[in-house]
Amino acid sequence: MSGPYIIRGSVSLPEAELMWRFSRSSGPGGQHVNTSDSQVELRFDLAKTEALPQVWKDRALDRLAGRLVGGVIAVRASEHRSQWRNRETAAVRLAALLAEATAPPPRPRRATKIPRGINERRLREKKQRAETKRGRTGRDW
């Protein structure tokens, strides 16, 4: 692998906690596909990991609850002909998924009031438009 995959800051995916599984892949490769195990499934036990801070872990468990099976998250990659490139793709995908899941929630939106001048201008333009349309009626004929 090409080194540690950074989730955010100094936190990275620990190589010892990654579980790899390889199988035959459908897709590009011709007859080569029938003989090589190029599809990669990367599994990471999110519930038992010690690599993430507890706050991040709780946040990720909550946000990824629909994708977890027994606290384990799985990512598959089979786009490339080479197992090595599929491993890279799966690891990058897992790191991106965890980065998104552990991100802090956005700041709440502060409600603001529409300025009076803007509202008055909107109503004035609305009246002017209505007057224009009223002038188009053929009631004087």
Side-chain angles (χ1 to χ4, degrees), residues 7-9 11 46 52-61 101-102:
I7 295 173
R8 192 170 52 252
V11 179
L46 190 57
L52 297 176
Q54 189 60 39
V55 177
W56 288 18
K57 191 157 86 168
D58 293 340
R59 202 179 289 156
L61 285 169
T102 58

Side-chain angles (χ1 to χ4, degrees), residues 23-91:
S23 60
R24 291 195 180 138
S25 172
S26 62
Q31 293 176 351
H32 173 73
V33 171
N34 302 329
T35 60
S36 64
D37 292 343
S38 60
Q39 179 173 303
V40 173
E41 183 178 322
L42 174 58
R43 298 166 63 84
F44 181 68
D45 196 342
L46 190 57
K48 294 181 183 172
T49 187
E50 296 297 323
L52 297 176
Q54 189 60 39
V55 177
W56 288 18
K57 191 157 86 168
D58 293 340
R59 202 179 289 156
L61 285 169
D62 183 45
R63 289 183 183 168
L64 297 174
R67 286 193 64 165
L68 296 175
V69 178
V72 177
I73 187 154
V75 175
R76 273 197 182 148
S78 63
E79 294 84 45
H80 307 289
R81 291 178 63 172
S82 136
Q83 185 188 95
W84 183 261
R85 287 181 64 194
N86 283 332
R87 284 177 65 132
E88 291 284 318
T89 303

